[in-house]
Amino acid sequence: MDELSRIHEACAYIRSICALPVEIGVVLGSGLGGFTDHVVIDKEIPYRDIPNFPVSTVEGHEGKLILGKMCAKNIIVMAGRFHYYEGYSPVEVVFPIRVLSLLGVKELLLSNAAGGVNPSFKVGDLMVIRDHISFGIINPLLGKNIDELGPRFPDMSEPYASERIRQGKAIASELGIDLKQGVYYGVTGPTFETRAEYKLIYNLGADAVGMSTVQEVIAAVHCGMKVFAISVITDLGIRDEENIITHQEVLDAANAAAPKLTAVFKNLIEKL
Ligand code: HPA
């Protein structure tokens, strides 16, 4: 079966469970699952039940689609995402994004945990992603283009919608949340970076680094979605002192920052 048919098959299954029309999609990163407490849930669909869906393996990623309402808007939430470092191909990583697109999603909100390389950042800061650098990942659009989804050579001059960034910043300011803004550097992981790599990433023009999001955003832009994304800075890569980074530390920092992120997403969804 070709990739487009596989995507259609997953969509047909999801529609058979829940016919709610959805235009807003949300992707939750490590430790940020608390967002779903604010969703009035209509249906939860475990990834393992959906034809052709990959299954999440990482601790802190729940692995289900949630369909429901937030601020009177229908939304579909990916609680758990797929990472290249888990062994999925780039095409598998973006499979759910394409499913969301064919289900009708036009606006995609993503969150992730990221290492800060901008020296002004602190652990627990939120950073709205204004742009990304994809040289450290494998482009998910390599191979035959699926013309039904989007063009062969997609424009990437504004992968993160400037109007959404403006709205996100205004919301954060109203809520008294210090929302940083910056460039996200995508890497494959699963190793955290060496000191030399963190320094290089900063010198290349990035403010934060992480192992997700960029492939999803490329696929989303290819499908014509508007994207808004926030990183939670869970660790700092450029300190000179002893600086061992653990997955637990990343999850703890993401959990602690989740209420701020939820508030920004919720208020933005209200305005969409
Ligand atoms: N590097 C890469 N990915 C990450 C980091 C990091 O320091 N923190 C959370 N995800």
PDB file of all heavy atoms in Angstrom, residues 123-145:
ATOM      1  N   VAL A 123      16.661  27.357  33.216  1.00  0.00           N
ATOM      2  CA  VAL A 123      15.823  26.152  33.227  1.00  0.00           C
ATOM      3  C   VAL A 123      14.400  26.561  33.608  1.00  0.00           C
ATOM      4  O   VAL A 123      14.208  27.344  34.545  1.00  0.00           O
ATOM      5  CB  VAL A 123      16.383  25.105  34.217  1.00  0.00           C
ATOM      6  CG1 VAL A 123      15.375  23.981  34.449  1.00  0.00           C
ATOM      7  CG2 VAL A 123      17.689  24.534  33.698  1.00  0.00           C
ATOM      8  N   GLY A 124      13.423  26.073  32.860  1.00  0.00           N
ATOM      9  CA  GLY A 124      12.019  26.402  33.135  1.00  0.00           C
ATOM     10  C   GLY A 124      11.481  27.508  32.246  1.00  0.00           C
ATOM     11  O   GLY A 124      10.277  27.740  32.206  1.00  0.00           O
ATOM     12  N   ASP A 125      12.377  28.184  31.513  1.00  0.00           N
ATOM     13  CA  ASP A 125      11.900  29.221  30.575  1.00  0.00           C
ATOM     14  C   ASP A 125      11.088  28.588  29.454  1.00  0.00           C
ATOM     15  O   ASP A 125      11.332  27.439  29.057  1.00  0.00           O
ATOM     16  CB  ASP A 125      13.099  29.938  29.909  1.00  0.00           C
ATOM     17  CG  ASP A 125      13.677  31.048  30.777  1.00  0.00           C
ATOM     18  OD1 ASP A 125      13.037  31.421  31.777  1.00  0.00           O
ATOM     19  OD2 ASP A 125      14.776  31.537  30.444  1.00  0.00           O
ATOM     20  N   LEU A 126      10.155  29.358  28.916  1.00  0.00           N
ATOM     21  CA  LEU A 126       9.464  28.963  27.692  1.00  0.00           C
ATOM     22  C   LEU A 126      10.047  29.787  26.547  1.00  0.00           C
ATOM     23  O   LEU A 126      10.308  30.981  26.695  1.00  0.00           O
ATOM     24  CB  LEU A 126       7.969  29.264  27.767  1.00  0.00           C
ATOM     25  CG  LEU A 126       7.126  28.577  28.833  1.00  0.00           C
ATOM     26  CD1 LEU A 126       5.650  28.893  28.609  1.00  0.00           C
ATOM     27  CD2 LEU A 126       7.350  27.075  28.831  1.00  0.00           C
ATOM     28  N   MET A 127      10.243  29.124  25.408  1.00  0.00           N
ATOM     29  CA  MET A 127      10.748  29.831  24.223  1.00  0.00           C
ATOM     30  C   MET A 127       9.824  29.565  23.049  1.00  0.00           C
ATOM     31  O   MET A 127       9.626  28.412  22.658  1.00  0.00           O
ATOM     32  CB  MET A 127      12.159  29.338  23.877  1.00  0.00           C
ATOM     33  CG  MET A 127      12.756  30.011  22.639  1.00  0.00           C
ATOM     34  SD  MET A 127      14.280  29.230  22.043  1.00  0.00           S
ATOM     35  CE  MET A 127      13.625  28.055  20.853  1.00  0.00           C
ATOM     36  N   VAL A 128       9.241  30.613  22.501  1.00  0.00           N
ATOM     37  CA  VAL A 128       8.461  30.421  21.276  1.00  0.00           C
ATOM     38  C   VAL A 128       9.471  30.273  20.134  1.00  0.00           C
ATOM     39  O   VAL A 128      10.450  31.027  20.050  1.00  0.00           O
ATOM     40  CB  VAL A 128       7.441  31.569  21.047  1.00  0.00           C
ATOM     41  CG1 VAL A 128       8.112  32.911  20.879  1.00  0.00           C
ATOM     42  CG2 VAL A 128       6.570  31.282  19.838  1.00  0.00           C
ATOM     43  N   ILE A 129       9.253  29.252  19.312  1.00  0.00           N
ATOM     44  CA  ILE A 129      10.200  28.998  18.220  1.00  0.00           C
ATOM     45  C   ILE A 129       9.861  29.928  17.060  1.00  0.00           C
ATOM     46  O   ILE A 129       8.748  29.896  16.545  1.00  0.00           O
ATOM     47  CB  ILE A 129      10.144  27.523  17.768  1.00  0.00           C
ATOM     48  CG1 ILE A 129      10.393  26.589  18.962  1.00  0.00           C
ATOM     49  CG2 ILE A 129      11.153  27.266  16.659  1.00  0.00           C
ATOM     50  CD1 ILE A 129      10.375  25.098  18.609  1.00  0.00           C
ATOM     51  N   ARG A 130      10.823  30.779  16.683  1.00  0.00           N
ATOM     52  CA  ARG A 130      10.542  31.677  15.558  1.00  0.00           C
ATOM     53  C   ARG A 130      11.106  31.111  14.263  1.00  0.00           C
ATOM     54  O   ARG A 130      10.702  31.502  13.175  1.00  0.00           O
ATOM     55  CB  ARG A 130      11.018  33.099  15.832  1.00  0.00           C
ATOM     56  CG  ARG A 130      12.472  33.321  15.776  1.00  0.00           C
ATOM     57  CD  ARG A 130      12.840  34.814  15.792  1.00  0.00           C
ATOM     58  NE  ARG A 130      14.257  34.954  16.029  1.00  0.00           N
ATOM     59  CZ  ARG A 130      15.174  34.769  15.094  1.00  0.00           C
ATOM     60  NH1 ARG A 130      14.842  34.475  13.863  1.00  0.00           N
ATOM     61  NH2 ARG A 130      16.460  34.898  15.399  1.00  0.00           N
ATOM     62  N   ASP A 131      12.044  30.165  14.401  1.00  0.00           N
ATOM     63  CA  ASP A 131      12.621  29.538  13.203  1.00  0.00           C
ATOM     64  C   ASP A 131      13.381  28.300  13.663  1.00  0.00           C
ATOM     65  O   ASP A 131      13.601  28.113  14.868  1.00  0.00           O
ATOM     66  CB  ASP A 131      13.581  30.528  12.516  1.00  0.00           C
ATOM     67  CG  ASP A 131      13.688  30.278  11.013  1.00  0.00           C
ATOM     68  OD1 ASP A 131      13.252  29.206  10.546  1.00  0.00           O
ATOM     69  OD2 ASP A 131      14.222  31.157  10.316  1.00  0.00           O
ATOM     70  N   HIS A 132      13.758  27.461  12.709  1.00  0.00           N
ATOM     71  CA  HIS A 132      14.554  26.293  13.100  1.00  0.00           C
ATOM     72  C   HIS A 132      15.702  26.071  12.117  1.00  0.00           C
ATOM     73  O   HIS A 132      15.723  26.637  11.023  1.00  0.00           O
ATOM     74  CB  HIS A 132      13.673  25.034  13.228  1.00  0.00           C
ATOM     75  CG  HIS A 132      13.124  24.490  11.947  1.00  0.00           C
ATOM     76  ND1 HIS A 132      11.827  24.043  11.818  1.00  0.00           N
ATOM     77  CD2 HIS A 132      13.690  24.295  10.719  1.00  0.00           C
ATOM     78  CE1 HIS A 132      11.638  23.604  10.583  1.00  0.00           C
ATOM     79  NE2 HIS A 132      12.735  23.752   9.904  1.00  0.00           N
ATOM     80  N   ILE A 133      16.631  25.226  12.540  1.00  0.00           N
ATOM     81  CA  ILE A 133      17.729  24.789  11.664  1.00  0.00           C
ATOM     82  C   ILE A 133      17.616  23.269  11.571  1.00  0.00           C
ATOM     83  O   ILE A 133      17.611  22.580  12.604  1.00  0.00           O
ATOM     84  CB  ILE A 133      19.099  25.235  12.235  1.00  0.00           C
ATOM     85  CG1 ILE A 133      19.178  26.776  12.304  1.00  0.00           C
ATOM     86  CG2 ILE A 133      20.240  24.665  11.383  1.00  0.00           C
ATOM     87  CD1 ILE A 133      20.397  27.327  13.027  1.00  0.00           C
ATOM     88  N   SER A 134      17.485  22.784  10.338  1.00  0.00           N
ATOM     89  CA  SER A 134      17.174  21.357  10.152  1.00  0.00           C
ATOM     90  C   SER A 134      18.394  20.542   9.716  1.00  0.00           C
ATOM     91  O   SER A 134      18.249  19.366   9.398  1.00  0.00           O
ATOM     92  CB  SER A 134      16.056  21.197   9.115  1.00  0.00           C
ATOM     93  OG  SER A 134      16.534  21.568   7.837  1.00  0.00           O
ATOM     94  N   PHE A 135      19.606  21.147   9.732  1.00  0.00           N
ATOM     95  CA  PHE A 135      20.777  20.432   9.209  1.00  0.00           C
ATOM     96  C   PHE A 135      21.158  19.219  10.055  1.00  0.00           C
ATOM     97  O   PHE A 135      21.882  18.345   9.582  1.00  0.00           O
ATOM     98  CB  PHE A 135      21.989  21.375   9.093  1.00  0.00           C
ATOM     99  CG  PHE A 135      21.742  22.563   8.202  1.00  0.00           C
ATOM    100  CD1 PHE A 135      22.446  23.742   8.392  1.00  0.00           C
ATOM    101  CD2 PHE A 135      20.813  22.518   7.168  1.00  0.00           C
ATOM    102  CE1 PHE A 135      22.234  24.844   7.583  1.00  0.00           C
ATOM    103  CE2 PHE A 135      20.584  23.605   6.349  1.00  0.00           C
ATOM    104  CZ  PHE A 135      21.299  24.782   6.555  1.00  0.00           C
ATOM    105  N   GLY A 136      20.672  19.177  11.303  1.00  0.00           N
ATOM    106  CA  GLY A 136      21.035  18.054  12.185  1.00  0.00           C
ATOM    107  C   GLY A 136      20.038  16.908  12.142  1.00  0.00           C
ATOM    108  O   GLY A 136      20.171  15.953  12.902  1.00  0.00           O
ATOM    109  N   ILE A 137      19.044  16.984  11.275  1.00  0.00           N
ATOM    110  CA  ILE A 137      18.035  15.925  11.204  1.00  0.00           C
ATOM    111  C   ILE A 137      17.937  15.403   9.763  1.00  0.00           C
ATOM    112  O   ILE A 137      18.559  15.950   8.872  1.00  0.00           O
ATOM    113  CB  ILE A 137      16.649  16.423  11.670  1.00  0.00           C
ATOM    114  CG1 ILE A 137      16.172  17.637  10.825  1.00  0.00           C
ATOM    115  CG2 ILE A 137      16.667  16.830  13.139  1.00  0.00           C
ATOM    116  CD1 ILE A 137      15.008  17.385   9.946  1.00  0.00           C
ATOM    117  N   ILE A 138      17.159  14.366   9.575  1.00  0.00           N
ATOM    118  CA  ILE A 138      16.933  13.859   8.215  1.00  0.00           C
ATOM    119  C   ILE A 138      15.600  14.426   7.738  1.00  0.00           C
ATOM    120  O   ILE A 138      14.578  14.277   8.421  1.00  0.00           O
ATOM    121  CB  ILE A 138      16.836  12.312   8.194  1.00  0.00           C
ATOM    122  CG1 ILE A 138      17.986  11.658   8.960  1.00  0.00           C
ATOM    123  CG2 ILE A 138      16.753  11.804   6.742  1.00  0.00           C
ATOM    124  CD1 ILE A 138      19.324  11.735   8.328  1.00  0.00           C
ATOM    125  N   ASN A 139      15.604  15.050   6.579  1.00  0.00           N
ATOM    126  CA  ASN A 139      14.380  15.678   6.079  1.00  0.00           C
ATOM    127  C   ASN A 139      13.329  14.604   5.757  1.00  0.00           C
ATOM    128  O   ASN A 139      13.600  13.660   5.012  1.00  0.00           O
ATOM    129  CB  ASN A 139      14.715  16.502   4.830  1.00  0.00           C
ATOM    130  CG  ASN A 139      13.609  17.476   4.491  1.00  0.00           C
ATOM    131  OD1 ASN A 139      12.458  17.088   4.307  1.00  0.00           O
ATOM    132  ND2 ASN A 139      13.953  18.751   4.420  1.00  0.00           N
ATOM    133  N   PRO A 140      12.127  14.732   6.324  1.00  0.00           N
ATOM    134  CA  PRO A 140      11.102  13.698   6.113  1.00  0.00           C
ATOM    135  C   PRO A 140      10.503  13.727   4.707  1.00  0.00           C
ATOM    136  O   PRO A 140       9.757  12.815   4.345  1.00  0.00           O
ATOM    137  CB  PRO A 140      10.033  14.060   7.155  1.00  0.00           C
ATOM    138  CG  PRO A 140      10.182  15.530   7.346  1.00  0.00           C
ATOM    139  CD  PRO A 140      11.655  15.819   7.202  1.00  0.00           C
ATOM    140  N   LEU A 141      10.830  14.758   3.931  1.00  0.00           N
ATOM    141  CA  LEU A 141      10.267  14.833   2.579  1.00  0.00           C
ATOM    142  C   LEU A 141      11.185  14.221   1.515  1.00  0.00           C
ATOM    143  O   LEU A 141      10.860  14.251   0.324  1.00  0.00           O
ATOM    144  CB  LEU A 141       9.962  16.301   2.201  1.00  0.00           C
ATOM    145  CG  LEU A 141       9.067  17.073   3.175  1.00  0.00           C
ATOM    146  CD1 LEU A 141       8.767  18.468   2.616  1.00  0.00           C
ATOM    147  CD2 LEU A 141       7.765  16.337   3.443  1.00  0.00           C
ATOM    148  N   LEU A 142      12.318  13.650   1.979  1.00  0.00           N
ATOM    149  CA  LEU A 142      13.198  12.963   1.016  1.00  0.00           C
ATOM    150  C   LEU A 142      12.426  11.825   0.372  1.00  0.00           C
ATOM    151  O   LEU A 142      11.631  11.156   1.026  1.00  0.00           O
ATOM    152  CB  LEU A 142      14.414  12.383   1.752  1.00  0.00           C
ATOM    153  CG  LEU A 142      15.492  13.380   2.208  1.00  0.00           C
ATOM    154  CD1 LEU A 142      16.502  12.679   3.113  1.00  0.00           C
ATOM    155  CD2 LEU A 142      16.201  13.980   1.006  1.00  0.00           C
ATOM    156  N   GLY A 143      12.688  11.615  -0.902  1.00  0.00           N
ATOM    157  CA  GLY A 143      11.982  10.538  -1.611  1.00  0.00           C
ATOM    158  C   GLY A 143      10.910  11.124  -2.504  1.00  0.00           C
ATOM    159  O   GLY A 143      10.767  12.350  -2.620  1.00  0.00           O
ATOM    160  N   LYS A 144      10.107  10.238  -3.075  1.00  0.00           N
ATOM    161  CA  LYS A 144       9.075  10.667  -4.015  1.00  0.00           C
ATOM    162  C   LYS A 144       8.101  11.614  -3.295  1.00  0.00           C
ATOM    163  O   LYS A 144       7.646  11.303  -2.188  1.00  0.00           O
ATOM    164  CB  LYS A 144       8.334   9.425  -4.527  1.00  0.00           C
ATOM    165  CG  LYS A 144       7.381   9.690  -5.664  1.00  0.00           C
ATOM    166  CD  LYS A 144       6.833   8.352  -6.167  1.00  0.00           C
ATOM    167  CE  LYS A 144       5.809   8.482  -7.265  1.00  0.00           C
ATOM    168  NZ  LYS A 144       4.901   9.595  -7.205  1.00  0.00           N
ATOM    169  N   ASN A 145       7.802  12.736  -3.915  1.00  0.00           N
ATOM    170  CA  ASN A 145       6.866  13.670  -3.270  1.00  0.00           C
ATOM    171  C   ASN A 145       5.431  13.133  -3.350  1.00  0.00           C
ATOM    172  O   ASN A 145       5.032  12.537  -4.351  1.00  0.00           O
ATOM    173  CB  ASN A 145       6.927  15.036  -3.958  1.00  0.00           C
ATOM    174  CG  ASN A 145       6.079  16.062  -3.224  1.00  0.00           C
ATOM    175  OD1 ASN A 145       6.207  16.210  -2.010  1.00  0.00           O
ATOM    176  ND2 ASN A 145       5.207  16.740  -3.939  1.00  0.00           N
TER     177      ASN A 145
END
